[in-house]
Amino acid sequence: INEISQLTGAKRSVILTILTAMSLFNSGGRRVLLLLMVLIFSHPLAWGAAETPSIDLSKVSVSFPPLPINTTKPDTALDQFIFYLPDTDGQLDAQAAFSHASAFIPLKNRPVTFHTKTHWYAIHLSNAENISTELFITTGVSTAVLLRGYWLRTQETQHSNSEIQTISSQIAYGFPTLLMRLPLKENEDGVLLIEYQSIAHFPLTLHIFDSTHLLESTQRLKLANGIY
């Protein structure tokens, strides 16, 4: 259901139609419809190749202080590095949000609102080491109408297009909240945007883990819950 909610366009309409029809058929008919849905997912060329979004970096004004991830631990306070933009009508896409980077405000100045459709969070991450790494950004929420990340490398040449990498949220390693996995190359620098929709409007609480710290935290949680 979460994956379907993040689809757009013709594919989402067809899949929802098939799911509705499945409730009207017997088991044999349901198997045929299920096979048809699998074929829809497994043959994206039938829908046309999806374009990878990109943006001209000259249109992105990033003034967020960079967070040096090499010295960041899960208990590091991140509020001073996180910025926020409310999207009342939910009309912004990732490209538009990056273009409005100068309109983001410090998280500490985030207004209390219950009528904003989409909440955008931004954080500037910097890997200053000559080795690649992998980050896990936990969000503090276990469910959401929409929770998706977008990674934009900012060390590209100005006036050149840079691809926007989409990052799905997931429950992983037994961790109790939705998280995002972000691999970083050596000396990679960029901005992570998080698009968030919630019925209850609970604010996100972001923490950054590497694989070792995430595993240790998960093991402690399992011990506390009596799993081991």
Side-chain angles (χ1 to χ4, degrees):
I1 296 299
N2 185 53
E3 293 295 331
I4 293 173
S5 69
Q6 297 190 30
L7 294 174
T8 58
K11 183 180 287 188
R12 178 181 179 181
S13 299
V14 171
I15 291 173
L16 290 176
T17 301
I18 292 174
L19 290 175
T20 302
M22 286 177 68
S23 65
L24 305 177
F25 284 82
N26 58 26
S27 59
R30 289 175 184 173
R31 283 194 292 270
V32 173
L33 290 172
L34 183 59
L35 177 60
L36 179 59
M37 188 166 65
V38 170
L39 290 174
I40 289 172
F41 273 108
S42 61
H43 292 281
L45 292 179
W47 302 87
E51 293 185 1
T52 301
S54 62
I55 191 169
D56 185 344
L57 287 179
S58 65
K59 298 179 180 179
V60 181
S61 176
V62 177
S63 57
F64 314 138
L67 172 67
I69 59 97
N70 311 93
T71 57
T72 299
K73 297 181 179 180
D75 58 354
T76 300
L78 301 181
D79 283 6
Q80 62 178 314
F81 298 98
I82 301 173
F83 290 75
Y84 173 81
L85 178 68
D87 180 10
T88 304
D89 300 321
Q91 297 298 310
L92 296 179
D93 58 14
Q95 291 163 307
F98 276 116
S99 297
H100 286 76
S102 60
F104 279 72
I105 61 174
L107 183 64
K108 64 180 181 180
N109 297 334
R110 176 186 182 274
V112 177
T113 175
F114 297 98
H115 303 287
T116 297
K117 182 173 182 179
T118 305
H119 306 269
W120 290 90
Y121 293 76
I123 185 167
H124 185 179
L125 302 174
S126 177
N127 178 18
E129 300 292 333
N130 293 321
I131 57 173
S132 59
T133 188
E134 186 174 47
L135 301 181
F136 297 88
I137 299 93
T138 64
T139 61
V141 296
S142 58
T143 184
V145 176
L146 174 65
L147 183 61
R148 184 187 294 136
Y150 304 93
W151 175 250
L152 178 68
R153 296 182 62 186
T154 54
Q155 70 260 53
E156 306 287 352
T157 306
Q158 288 291 319
H159 302 287
S160 67
N161 281 348
S162 182
E163 289 187 353
I164 299 173
Q165 175 188 348
T166 302
I167 306 170
S168 298
S169 59
Q170 58 186 311
I171 293 286
Y173 295 103
F175 208 83
T177 72
L178 288 165
L179 56 80
M180 299 179 189
R181 173 180 170 271
L182 177 61
L184 291 182
K185 298 178 181 178
E186 58 272 15
N187 299 305
E188 186 169 359
D189 187 276
V191 173
L192 175 67
L193 279 190
I194 297 177
E195 181 183 14
Y196 172 54
Q197 294 180 4
S198 168
I199 296 176
H201 297 280
F202 290 123
L204 297 183
T205 304
L206 303 181
H207 294 279
I208 295 178
F209 293 76
D210 59 20
S211 57
T212 300
H213 286 121
L214 187 68
L215 180 60
E216 291 174 351
S217 295
T218 302
Q219 290 174 335
R220 286 195 295 270
L221 286 170
K222 288 181 177 180
L223 286 171
N225 292 327
I227 296 177
Y228 290 157

